[in-house]
Amino acid sequence: MPFGSLSKALKSREDRKSVSTTPPTVIGEMLTSRPSASALAIPLEEGTPLMVSKQESPDTTVGGELVALRDDNQVMVQSGAESRRPLEATRRGALDEFLVSLLECPVCFGYIMPPIMQCSCGHLICATCRQKVSLCPVCRVSMTNIRSLAMEKVASKLIFPCKHSHSGCLARLSYAEKRSHEEDCDCRPYFCPYPDDKCVWQGPLSAVYQHLVSTHENVITMEGNDIIFLATNVNLEGALDWTMVQSCHGRHFLLSLEKINLAEGCQQYFTACRMIGTMRDSADFVYNISLEANNRTLRWQSKPRSIRESFVSFTHADFLVLNKSTVELFSEDGNLALNVVIRKV
Ligand SMILES: [Zn+2]
Ligand SMILES: [Zn+2]
Ligand SMILES: [Zn+2]
Ligand SMILES: [Zn+2]
């Protein structure tokens, strides 16, 4: 990052910080002008804020109740423990906001999560950005590998906005929940799940199905929870894929058969059922694939993966892998019929 833009960015951080650090002056004033308890008695309706002119009464406690001074020279009186709670909540909220703002990385503006690194002057930086810099981006001293254990403890007690908040996510999460939520956040864009990784499309979950059927012409669709996915000409040479969308239970599932050449004459077929849904959604379903031909039966049962999980990591995970000779045993006239049944659990 050029230095000019960094210092500009830092300035905007300072501006933001100054907003969140505004001290609760109301409380300070209240304490310094505390009079004797017998100074005044104002009848109060329980829970009703009462406006009293400051000129008429300089007192800021009434019968031991909380009284707040306002900018317009008025005194706001509230009674009972109930009225104290919102004020305490506001103070706590402002403090949390201030602490969270201290954990903004000055380089990437993401939140600094443990392990929290600092320069010798105490400026914090996130662990990812720490790898990329040798000088502190704030004061330019050499970076050290000193951890800020105190701030790590503070971070463990705070809640942070999701990093997709700019895309509309309203979730606020603890440090421990943040990473797994962001991985499967509804506001995080989805990549095109078509098995060949040439398509660069990304968008919201609600647009994935439409993208698949309108852009990838060879994707066929079928309704029903019990269908036959027929892959034709499975013996053709080269790396090939067969893909279809099965719609049932009000959702869409992407079925793929991928033929991969591992070496000369050595081919494998990967069969996957993936859900066009979040990882949480996919946990509600189970699918079965059965192959039946030539007096042989082969059955496979598993849970569908979400299209959130990349196909590459998926090929290393648990799903049905067939070798060339198995496919030959189950195919008829070069076509392989996979009976796919999807159930809700
Ligand atoms: Zn960073
Ligand atoms: Zn520094
Ligand atoms: Zn989120
Ligand atoms: Zn695509």
Side-chain angles (χ1 to χ4, degrees):
M1 181 187 283
F3 187 69
S5 62
L6 177 62
S7 59
K8 195 173 166 193
L10 289 172
K11 186 175 179 301
S12 75
R13 268 168 54 77
E14 287 303 318
D15 292 344
R16 271 189 285 156
K17 219 179 277 179
S18 69
V19 173
S20 57
T21 54
T22 305
T25 49
V26 161
I27 304 302
E29 243 180 291
M30 182 190 87
L31 294 175
T32 51
S33 58
R34 185 185 291 274
S36 64
S38 60
L40 192 67
I42 300 175
L44 289 174
E45 245 179 73
E46 190 69 23
T48 313
L50 177 67
M51 305 310 300
V52 184
S53 144
K54 199 179 177 185
Q55 280 79 9
E56 287 167 19
S57 165
D59 301 309
T60 51
T61 56
V62 181
E65 303 298 356
L66 268 184
V67 180
L69 299 181
R70 294 185 354 157
D71 289 348
D72 56 3
N73 220 21
Q74 299 255 302
V75 185
M76 197 166 122
V77 185
Q78 288 184 301
S79 76
E82 239 174 58
S83 59
R84 263 192 294 278
R85 251 179 253 128
L87 187 57
E88 279 163 14
T90 308
R91 289 175 63 196
R92 179 65 213 257
L95 177 62
D96 283 357
E97 201 179 309
F98 168 64
L99 292 171
V100 166
S101 76
L102 293 182
L103 289 167
E104 280 174 28
C105 173
V107 180
C108 68
F109 299 109
Y111 289 106
I112 304 171
M113 294 289 135
I116 297 176
M117 312 307 288
Q118 62 180 357
C119 80
S120 55
C121 295
H123 298 118
L124 307 180
I125 187 168
C126 82
T128 311
C129 294
R130 169 66 192 90
Q131 311 277 319
K132 299 175 192 162
V133 299
S134 54
L135 298 178
C136 170
V138 181
C139 70
R140 317 297 293 168
V141 302
S142 290
M143 279 307 291
T144 63
N145 285 323
I146 303 169
R147 277 170 70 181
S148 178
L149 297 177
M151 284 311 282
E152 287 182 10
K153 283 183 183 149
V154 170
S156 72
K157 297 288 178 209
L158 293 174
I159 54 163
F160 299 85
C162 167
K163 76 172 175 190
H164 303 293
S165 57
H166 59 274
S167 304
C169 181
L170 300 174
R172 296 181 65 81
L173 310 130
S174 71
Y175 152 62
E177 301 160 327
K178 197 170 179 292
R179 193 183 295 253
S180 64
H181 164 84
E182 287 169 351
E183 189 116 303
D184 202 24
C185 172
D186 293 347
C187 297
R188 179 186 154 202
Y190 280 74
F191 294 104
C192 172
Y194 190 77
D196 83 4
D197 47 20
K198 296 186 193 93
C199 181
V200 294
W201 180 90
Q202 51 175 290
L205 181 61
S206 56
V208 172
Y209 174 78
Q210 197 48 47
H211 163 75
L212 273 172
V213 296
S214 61
T215 310
H216 300 280
E217 287 164 356
N218 56 338
V219 174
I220 53 167
T221 58
M222 200 177 269
E223 295 271 343
N225 70 318
D226 184 347
I227 57 106
I228 299 290
F229 172 27
L230 187 69
T232 54
N233 300 317
V234 286
N235 298 320
L236 281 180
E237 283 305 307
L240 296 165
D241 64 76
W242 296 261
T243 307
M244 72 169 285
V245 175
Q246 178 176 354
S247 302
C248 57
H249 307 292
R251 305 301 302 252
H252 302 297
F253 298 83
L254 191 64
L255 309 177
S256 323
L257 177 71
E258 270 224 81
K259 181 182 178 187
I260 294 169
N261 280 320
L262 296 175
E264 187 62 40
C266 178
Q267 289 141 354
Q268 278 191 324
Y269 295 75
F270 293 81
T271 314
C273 173
R274 288 183 293 160
M275 185 181 184
I276 302 177
T278 65
M279 291 194 252
R280 281 160 286 135
D281 294 338
S282 65
D284 293 343
F285 295 90
V286 163
Y287 74 97
N288 288 273
I289 294 178
S290 9
L291 297 166
E292 271 189 64
N294 306 318
N295 298 318
R296 291 175 185 83
T297 304
L298 191 150
R299 283 187 204 285
W300 167 265
Q301 178 173 309
S302 186
K303 292 184 93 48
R305 300 299 182 107
S306 160
I307 54 164
R308 195 56 111 180
E309 296 178 70
S310 87
F311 198 76
V312 177
S313 68
F314 195 64
T315 55
H316 295 293
D318 68 316
F319 77 125
L320 181 58
V321 184
L322 305 167
N323 62 25
K324 194 180 173 188
S325 57
T326 313
V327 169
E328 277 168 5
L329 285 175
F330 284 98
S331 58
E332 290 176 314
D333 302 327
N335 301 329
L336 187 68
L338 299 108
N339 178 206
V340 184
V341 180
I342 297 173
R343 286 184 295 118
K344 197 162 184 177
V345 289

